[in-house]
Amino acid sequence: MIIAKSEEFTNPLVEAAQIIRKGGLVVFPTETVYGLGANALDAKAALKIFKAKKRPVNNPLIVHIAEKKDIKKIVASVPAMAQKLIDKFWPGPLTIIFKKKEIIPNEVTAGLETVAVRLPNHALARAFIREAGVPIAAPSANLSGRPSSTEASHAKKDLGKKPIFILDGGRSKFGVESTIINILENPPVILRQGAVTREALQKVLGQVAVLNSKNSKIISPGTRYRHYAPRTKLALIGSSWQASPKEIELTIIKYHLKNKKVGVLGTRENYHFYKKADRVLLLGSQKNLPTCAVNLYKSFRDFDRFGDVDLILAEIFPEKELGAVIMDRLRRAAENYSC
Ligand code: AMP
Ligand code: MG
C-alpha cells in the first residue's frame, strides 16, 4: 500500500523520485526501519531532514545507495577491509564509514571528513534510490529521540503533521537499525550495534571493538543522545537474565504500594511472573530473538499509546548476538532513569 498526499500521482516511485530531485523529503521502507530521505548531494534538502525530525545538526546522516558501484561516486577510497564487508554483507543492514568525497556536503556528515554508507536489502528502497538517480541521505523516520519507525503509520504519526510522502512497504523485517562499523580505526570499531551482530562481523574481520559511552562523543556524534525511547519511563530490572523475571515480580509489588501503575516488557516464557502487572507486552519467545527485536519499538510506542502505566519494567536479555542489540536499545531507553 502507498500512502501519498498527491491525488494525481500515477506511479508512486516516480513521484517519490521527483520529490527528491526537487529537494523534498520522502519516507521509505528499508529492511531495518523506515528512513526519512533527501538528496544526499543537496545541502539544503538534507537540512530539511534535521528540521522535520528536530534532529541536532551535529548528528550525521547515513547515505544510502542502490548499487555497489555507486560507492565510488561518494567515497575517496574503499579500503580492503571495507571491500570484504561489502562482499559479505551488502546489500544488507551494515553501514560502513569511509573517507568522503567533496561531493557529499558537510551538512550531511555534520562537518566530518567521513561519510556513513549503506546499501539496503529492500527491493522498494533500492528501486526508489535508483529512480531518484542520486544517493539518499536518510536517518530513521521518527522524531529525534523517539523509537525508530517500523511501520509507515509510526512515521506518519511522528512526521505527518505537515504533508509528507510515504512509500509504505509494510512492517520492517529486522525492526532495529543497521550496524555501523568504522574500519578506519584499528581494530575496527562498531559505532552502533544493530542487525548485523558483532559475532558475524568478527567472523570476517577478527577482533572488533564496540564503542562505549565514554568515547562515543568523539567518534560517533549521534550516539550521545538519549535514543529509541518511549515517553513512558522505562527501567531495566534484574541482575542477570535468569534473575530478571523474579526481580520484576517484586518490583511490581513495590510500585503498587506507592500507587503506581506498572507495565512489563518481557518474553513469553516469563509471562507467569507478571500476573500482577497492570499491562504486559510480550516481545516474543527467548528462543526467537529476531521476533523480539522486530517487536521492540512497536511495544515502546504501544505503551505510550495506551498511556496507562507510570513505569515500564523491562526484562534483561542475554548479552550476545541479537540479545546484545536489544540490550543496547533498552539501556538507551532507560538512560537517566533507575528504580
Ligand atoms: P540514524 O540514521 O538516525 O539511525 O543515525 C545515524 C547514525 O549514524 C548517527 O547517529 C551517527 O552516530 C552515525 N553516523 C553517521 N555518519 C557518521 C560518520 N561519518 N561517522 C560516525 N558516525 C556516523
Ligand atoms: Mg535514528
Side-chain angles (χ1 to χ4, degrees):
M1 189 192 54
I2 308 290
I3 303 170
K5 280 289 145 194
S6 163
E7 294 284 279
E8 67 265 23
F9 81 96
T10 46
N11 182 335
L13 273 181
V14 172
E15 174 113 352
Q18 270 171 10
I19 294 170
I20 292 292
R21 284 195 298 272
K22 284 186 191 153
L25 304 182
V26 169
V27 173
F28 66 102
T30 79
E31 75 277 31
T32 55
V33 298
Y34 275 75
L36 175 63
N39 180 352
L41 309 181
D42 178 345
K44 252 180 150 175
L47 283 175
K48 288 181 188 168
I49 292 177
F50 293 92
K51 196 161 175 226
K53 283 192 57 147
K54 301 194 171 75
R55 180 179 175 103
V57 286
N58 60 357
N59 189 358
L61 307 174
I62 293 172
V63 175
H64 296 72
I65 54 176
E67 308 295 338
K68 287 184 185 174
K69 65 177 168 46
D70 295 341
I71 185 97
K72 296 207 176 73
K73 296 175 198 159
I74 55 176
V75 312
S77 65
V78 178
M81 215 181 249
Q83 191 58 53
K84 262 191 181 175
L85 294 175
I86 289 171
D87 293 344
K88 173 82 183 162
F89 294 106
W90 279 11
L94 181 70
T95 298
I96 307 172
I97 307 290
F98 295 90
K99 286 241 145 48
K100 82 175 183 79
K101 268 191 177 158
E102 197 73 353
I103 192 171
I104 299 290
N106 287 331
E107 285 78 356
V108 169
T109 63
L112 297 174
E113 288 304 308
T114 53
V115 60
V117 186
R118 181 161 101 85
L119 171 54
N121 188 11
H122 192 287
L124 187 52
R126 288 178 73 183
F128 158 60
I129 302 167
R130 221 175 276 131
E131 186 71 31
V134 289
I136 302 286
S140 48
N142 51 277
L143 284 174
S144 197
R146 297 279 293 144
S148 301
S149 297
T150 55
E151 294 175 16
S153 64
H154 300 165
K156 192 161 193 288
K157 180 152 197 306
D158 272 18
L159 305 168
K161 277 204 183 103
K162 288 188 192 149
I164 186 137
F165 194 96
I166 302 177
L167 288 168
D168 188 341
R171 282 191 83 184
S172 308
K173 181 178 165 202
F174 288 102
V176 287
E177 297 77 4
S178 63
T179 304
I180 306 178
I181 188 160
N182 188 349
I183 43 86
L184 305 173
E185 302 278 329
N186 189 16
V189 53
I190 294 174
L191 302 181
R192 174 176 74 190
Q193 301 193 70
V196 174
T197 62
R198 181 188 196 179
E199 288 83 351
L201 288 165
Q202 278 173 333
K203 271 190 196 149
V204 179
L205 298 179
Q207 195 194 348
V208 176
V210 178
L211 188 69
N212 64 50
S213 56
K214 288 196 188 99
N215 54 13
S216 70
K217 282 182 192 173
I218 312 150
I219 311 174
S220 191
T223 52
R224 85 184 74 164
Y225 303 104
R226 183 169 187 258
H227 240 87
Y228 318 113
R231 294 211 163 88
T232 316
K233 282 178 185 162
L234 181 143
L236 270 166
I237 297 289
S239 44
S240 70
W241 179 35
Q242 287 85 355
S244 185
K246 191 85 201 140
E247 290 180 36
I248 289 178
E249 195 178 30
L250 293 173
T251 313
I252 294 170
I253 298 167
K254 193 174 108 189
Y255 273 83
H256 278 169
L257 288 173
K258 295 188 205 166
N259 280 329
K260 299 267 188 218
K261 294 245 191 288
V262 186
V264 175
L265 186 59
T267 55
R268 195 190 303 151
E269 285 82 352
N270 293 324
Y271 182 57
H272 60 282
F273 284 103
Y274 310 141
K275 296 259 157 65
K276 293 196 176 74
D278 299 282
R279 184 175 289 283
V280 181
L281 294 185
L282 297 178
L283 291 172
S285 163
Q286 288 164 4
K287 294 190 196 89
N288 191 344
L289 291 182
T291 300
C292 294
V294 159
N295 288 327
L296 187 66
Y297 292 145
K298 182 175 163 39
S299 304
F300 285 179
R301 285 178 180 270
D302 282 346
F303 270 118
D304 287 345
R305 194 162 51 84
F306 294 126
D308 54 4
V309 297
D310 299 297
L311 174 71
I312 305 163
L313 304 179
E315 224 179 84
I316 284 184
F317 280 75
E319 296 266 0
K320 57 176 188 170
E321 298 182 339
L322 263 186
V325 183
I326 293 170
M327 282 303 287
D328 173 77
R329 301 304 189 267
L330 286 172
R331 259 191 216 105
R332 289 170 193 272
E335 211 169 274
N336 303 327
Y337 191 71
S338 58
C339 76

